[in-house]
Amino acid sequence: MTDHQSKNLFPIEKLDDLIRPFIVPPERKISLAKDYDPGYKADHLKKSKAKGKLKEGIEALAEYQDILYAQNTHAVLIIFQAMDAAGKDSTIKHVMSGINPQGCQVHSFKAPSTQELNHDYLWRCSKALPERGKIGIFNRSYYEEILVTRVHPEILAQRPLPVSITDTDIWERRFEEINNFEKHLVNNGTIILKFFLNVSKEEQKDRFLERINRPEKNWKFSENDANERAYWDDYMAVYEDMFNHTSTKYAPWYIIPADHKWFTRLVVAGIIYTQLKELNLKYPTLSKEQHQELLNAKTILESQK
């Protein structure tokens, strides 16, 4: 790494202290409502200063991503889950704005197709996993199958599944299956970062109204978005259960306050940066034979007109 890479490039003092409150501890149960405030922002951090810090952080992420691509030993999978209007799209856009598109893949998972329904629920995400050296971003993921299908059991009833596996134990089995799946990925060199953008019900309403009142944002809103708000408490309950069963030491969940987008973006960037830094990434070094080949090539090029 270069000299400036050996320093803490992300310009936040005590970055670990900033991040620690948002992790879901694998060793204990959490209460989403009591333990995580959607409106939280660090009191000492001002919005104007945070934007400058985010800009420098994005530059740091771009450099680490370049080394990740060159080293080609690890992959990074970033999962975003959230209620509608929490800011997933804008967070991805801003935080990853400096990343080389050649080394980053973004997949948005909507309602599954007929082909996808004819496979197991992990299949469509499995085939979209990032390659070594790349960052893969899932805008929603296989977690939808233990969220939406629990809030709306009629969806599960319509799935082409054997009756024997749609009993009351299905959720416990799926928690275990997902944990095993993620453990397999981690064991094979994939770093998994899971973000829940925690927007409040009040802020969601304001953002929905903004989408209705601004013509250029009308396309982002549908009547069904408003109808789903009736299930808010149900969603919060299944999210909390999901966190308590699938936040593991090897793939923990981060619950990020989402009422202030500038703070959301800064924290997400900080967590990604921290994880990449901990990999101790370095550009590949050449063997003596490879170095000699370079010298030979240099000699040839210098002799050419």
Side-chain angles (χ1 to χ4, degrees):
M1 299 179 73
T2 59
D3 290 340
H4 69 283
Q5 285 174 328
S6 64
K7 301 175 183 178
N8 186 348
L9 288 179
F10 204 84
I12 298 179
E13 300 79 7
K14 298 181 180 179
L15 184 59
D16 288 343
D17 291 340
L18 177 69
I19 294 171
R20 191 174 297 110
F22 311 122
I23 196 169
V24 178
E27 67 276 4
R28 70 176 179 85
K29 302 294 183 182
I30 61 99
S31 167
L32 183 56
K34 295 179 181 178
D35 298 335
Y36 299 90
D37 177 10
Y40 174 83
K41 59 184 186 298
D43 293 334
H44 68 281
L45 195 61
K46 302 302 180 183
K47 181 177 180 179
S48 57
K49 187 177 181 181
K51 287 185 175 180
K53 290 180 179 291
L54 178 60
K55 182 177 182 297
E56 295 181 42
I58 289 171
E59 294 173 358
L61 287 178
E63 189 159 10
Y64 274 123
Q65 184 258 334
D66 187 63
I67 307 171
L68 177 79
Y69 184 78
Q71 193 180 68
N72 198 41
T73 56
H74 290 88
V76 178
L77 173 62
I78 303 173
I79 294 174
F80 285 95
Q81 291 287 158
M83 298 293 285
D84 289 329
K88 297 189 305 301
D89 291 344
S90 64
T91 299
I92 293 169
K93 176 181 177 180
H94 283 79
V95 173
M96 311 307 289
S97 60
I99 298 297
N100 184 342
Q102 187 176 1
C104 184
Q105 306 157 335
V106 181
H107 296 275
S108 295
F109 294 99
K110 307 297 185 181
S113 66
T114 300
Q115 181 191 34
E116 290 167 344
L117 289 175
N118 283 328
H119 290 270
D120 68 89
Y121 67 95
L122 293 172
W123 179 77
R124 68 172 180 163
C125 293
S126 297
K127 64 190 185 76
L129 289 170
E131 306 165 23
R132 297 188 191 279
K134 294 190 177 183
I135 297 174
I137 300 173
F138 285 0
N139 187 342
R140 302 192 187 278
S141 66
Y142 42 83
Y143 280 101
E144 292 293 292
E145 291 300 321
I146 54 175
L147 292 168
V148 178
T149 49
R150 292 187 74 180
V151 174
H152 296 287
E154 67 275 11
I155 295 178
L156 184 67
Q158 295 168 1
R159 297 283 199 254
L161 297 171
V163 175
S164 59
I165 68 170
T166 57
D167 57 14
T168 56
D169 294 331
I170 186 173
W171 310 120
E172 292 293 332
R173 289 197 301 271
R174 288 193 171 182
F175 291 146
E176 182 180 7
E177 289 160 1
I178 288 173
N179 289 340
N180 290 338
F181 176 68
E182 292 179 345
K183 181 65 172 175
H184 168 73
L185 295 179
V186 171
N187 286 345
N188 285 274
T190 297
I191 309 302
I192 302 176
L193 298 173
K194 302 184 295 191
F195 297 111
F196 172 67
L197 304 190
N198 186 25
V199 70
S200 66
K201 191 175 183 181
E202 296 76 16
E203 178 65 19
Q204 186 199 53
K205 179 180 178 180
D206 290 342
R207 293 180 186 179
F208 278 166
L209 289 173
E210 182 185 17
R211 291 180 179 182
I212 293 172
N213 294 329
R214 295 178 58 180
E216 70 274 18
K217 290 193 174 185
N218 288 170
W219 65 274
K220 299 181 72 174
F221 186 78
S222 69
E223 184 179 355
N224 188 60
D225 293 335
N227 293 335
E228 281 296 284
R229 280 174 56 79
Y231 300 94
W232 183 275
D233 292 342
D234 295 330
Y235 273 110
M236 293 302 103
V238 296
Y239 264 114
E240 183 177 299
D241 197 36
M242 180 190 76
F243 298 139
N244 286 328
H245 283 88
T246 63
S247 189
T248 58
K249 290 183 179 180
Y250 49 87
W253 276 100
Y254 294 90
I255 299 178
I256 312 298
D259 280 5
H260 303 282
K261 290 185 178 181
W262 61 268
F263 187 73
T264 303
R265 296 162 186 167
L266 189 64
V267 174
V268 168
I271 294 171
I272 298 172
Y273 165 82
T274 300
Q275 291 298 315
L276 289 177
K277 184 181 179 183
E278 289 181 355
L279 291 178
N280 193 27
L281 297 169
K282 296 180 180 179
Y283 284 110
T285 56
L286 299 182
S287 65
K288 290 183 179 180
E289 293 77 10
Q290 290 172 320
H291 185 67
Q292 185 59 50
E293 288 177 2
L294 283 183
L295 294 178
N296 294 340
K298 181 180 179 181
T299 299
I300 294 172
L301 289 171
E302 290 176 342
S303 67
Q304 293 175 345
K305 294 182 179 181

